[in-house]
Amino acid sequence: MNLQRIKLTVIKMPLKIPFSTHLETVSERESILVEATGKDGAQGYGEGVAFSSPWYTEETVKTSHHMLKDFLIPLLKRSPVHHPAEIEHLFRSIRRNQMAKAAIETALWDLDAKRRGVSLARRLGSTAGRIPSGVVIGTPDINDAISQIEDYILKGFQRVKIKIFPNHDIEFVRELRRRFPTLDIMADANSAYTLEDVDRLKALDEFGLMMIEQPLASDDIIDHAVLQRQIATPVCLDESIVSYEDARKAIEIGSCKVINIKIGRVGGLYTAVKIHDMCKEKGLPVWCGGMIEYGVSRAHNIALASLPGFTIPGDISGSDRYWEEDIVTPEIKVEDGFIEVPTKPGIGFQLNLKRLKEVTVSEEVFDF
């Protein structure tokens, strides 16, 4: 792709409101911005979405930076690619580290789309003009959750995701359903349960949840199949799906009825689109999950979620959901529950250089 250099910028910014699960409370978000510059001066942007600690996956910002600097960028320098889809094969010799891989791969997709003069969404095959927006409520306090949900409903959000775990599930969901009888609600467990909790999970069936996301172990597809046969609520897999093969096998054995596709978790846009295509062919609904991202990753999510198989609103909210000021301009906005799909080349957003400078922790340039 005739690269001239890649720049890695580590950024850090406080969230407007802390985001909590039973595993971690995130009050400050650290990420890696990848800037790929071609010899023609064109620039593409990607974002490494690992967290500072390994609560979601084994990757962290530090391990991702290490992989990018010491393995992935050198490998790309030794073996240049002609198309961003080739990255998946090139990086196959390096096990896992999907978020580090995706950080480079998405930057190259943005660069490729800009060179072609088309939006990233159109480059991926989308014709949608807008996508529906969903939101995640990351608080264990019922009154706080109700207040946030009321506010988001007024803003037009079309569905809400809540976090649950044992002893913070049945009564919490019951009260939310009582207050919001027709609202589309998903429950995300982040692997808080085991098969010993089947009766507790069955008890959630009465509340008409859209799905229960990742109730069992983060690397499991077998027990999820056992669980799905025993509960009416659709099981959605998140952490268990880190590759196309994971998705294929999970569908084949009946581990889930829904799949959450996250670009970073599966190693990039190429694999994310492949999973989407397979699920669409098999009639399995998919949606685009969020990672408390900055605007660059959020822009990639918008492009992905505009594909026709994404029939459930994703975790894609506006820039103001987490940030006082984002690192992209214009900031991403939700209007009447929808986000416009950019039509400008690439991701459709520019970097807010003033804000980026304010939140930069470190940067390093690698010449090709």
Side-chain angles (χ1 to χ4, degrees):
M1 294 188 66
N2 293 318
L3 292 176
Q4 181 177 352
R5 66 178 178 270
I6 288 180
K7 182 164 75 170
L8 303 182
T9 304
V10 178
I11 57 179
K12 184 186 291 187
M13 197 189 302
L15 274 66
K16 290 168 65 175
I17 302 173
F19 184 88
S20 296
T21 72
H22 72 285
L23 296 170
E24 183 84 347
T25 294
V26 180
S27 299
E28 191 173 52
R29 185 62 160 112
E30 188 179 23
S31 291
I32 303 171
L33 178 67
V34 177
E35 179 183 291
T37 301
K39 291 180 180 178
D40 57 357
Q43 293 180 316
Y45 303 110
E47 185 179 327
V49 295
F51 290 97
S52 299
S53 61
W55 66 271
Y56 176 72
T57 69
E58 69 276 13
E59 286 185 79
T60 68
V61 172
K62 286 185 178 180
T63 63
S64 289
H65 194 275
H66 162 56
M67 292 304 301
L68 286 161
K69 176 180 178 178
D70 296 326
F71 294 97
L72 299 176
I73 292 175
L75 181 56
L76 185 58
K77 289 173 70 172
R78 291 194 303 270
S79 304
V81 297
H82 301 284
H83 189 286
E86 297 173 20
I87 286 288
E88 190 269 344
H89 181 77
L90 177 63
F91 288 167
R92 194 172 294 174
S93 62
I94 296 173
R95 302 291 177 89
R96 304 281 289 209
N97 293 284
Q98 305 291 60
M99 294 179 183
K101 293 176 180 179
I104 287 184
E105 194 248 26
T106 50
L108 296 187
W109 275 106
D110 182 32
L111 177 62
D112 176 77
K114 285 173 177 171
R115 282 174 166 167
R116 294 171 186 266
V118 299
S119 70
L120 179 59
R122 181 61 59 89
R123 182 75 181 91
L124 297 178
S126 169
T127 59
R130 62 180 189 169
I131 60 168
S133 180
V135 68
V136 187
I137 304 298
T139 176
D141 182 86
I142 185 64
N143 293 320
D144 188 20
I146 289 171
S147 176
Q148 289 190 45
I149 291 171
E150 288 174 339
D151 181 53
Y152 287 123
I153 289 174
L154 289 175
K155 293 178 179 177
F157 283 89
Q158 304 201 16
R159 70 101 180 119
V160 168
K161 185 168 83 173
I162 58 171
K163 298 291 184 176
I164 62 170
F165 48 88
N167 300 318
H168 178 73
D169 44 22
I170 299 171
E171 294 306 318
F172 189 76
V173 175
R174 177 177 283 114
E175 179 59 19
L176 290 181
R177 181 53 79 206
R178 186 184 72 81
R179 295 292 294 267
F180 307 102
T182 62
L183 179 65
D184 284 340
I185 301 175
M186 332 175 160
D188 185 5
N190 290 115
S191 304
Y193 300 87
T194 70
L195 284 179
E196 294 180 359
D197 299 305
V198 167
D199 289 341
R200 178 174 287 275
L201 294 169
K202 277 184 180 179
L204 296 173
D205 283 344
E206 68 173 285
F207 303 118
L209 296 173
M210 296 179 71
M211 67 191 74
I212 299 176
E213 185 180 0
Q214 200 69 37
L216 307 181
S218 62
D219 59 353
D220 170 75
I221 60 172
I222 302 298
D223 286 352
H224 278 100
V226 175
L227 174 65
Q228 184 65 95
R229 289 194 292 269
Q230 298 183 61
I231 66 174
T233 305
V235 169
C236 170
L237 289 183
D238 176 2
E239 291 96 323
S240 292
I241 308 299
V242 299
S243 69
Y244 175 85
E245 282 301 302
D246 287 340
R248 182 187 66 79
K249 292 170 185 175
I251 295 170
E252 187 170 311
I253 66 173
S255 303
C256 60
K257 295 181 180 178
V258 185
I259 288 181
N260 167 351
I261 302 178
K262 291 178 179 173
I263 299 169
R265 196 192 66 234
V266 302
L269 276 166
Y270 176 73
T271 300
V273 172
K274 278 183 62 180
I275 294 173
H276 159 274
D277 293 347
M278 175 178 60
C279 290
K280 186 172 181 291
E281 179 183 340
K282 295 181 179 296
L284 200 81
V286 298
W287 57 283
C288 183
M291 292 285 291
I292 316 179
E293 293 107 333
Y294 293 95
V296 170
S297 181
R298 202 169 295 252
H300 283 281
N301 288 347
I302 293 170
L304 177 68
S306 68
L307 293 175
F310 287 88
T311 56
I312 299 171
D315 290 342
I316 309 174
S317 48
S319 294
D320 62 353
R321 169 68 177 91
Y322 296 116
W323 316 120
E324 293 293 348
E325 184 180 3
D326 205 347
I327 63 167
V328 298
T329 183
E331 293 203 341
I332 297 167
K333 293 183 178 180
V334 178
E335 296 183 350
D336 298 324
F338 288 87
I339 296 175
E340 295 294 321
V341 177
T343 56
K344 293 180 179 179
I347 60 174
F349 298 88
Q350 299 297 317
L351 293 184
N352 179 343
L353 296 178
K354 176 179 176 294
R355 184 57 171 161
L356 182 61
K357 183 177 180 180
E358 292 171 348
V359 301
T360 292
V361 175
S362 66
E363 59 183 26
E364 193 167 0
V365 175
F366 303 85
D367 293 321
F368 277 64

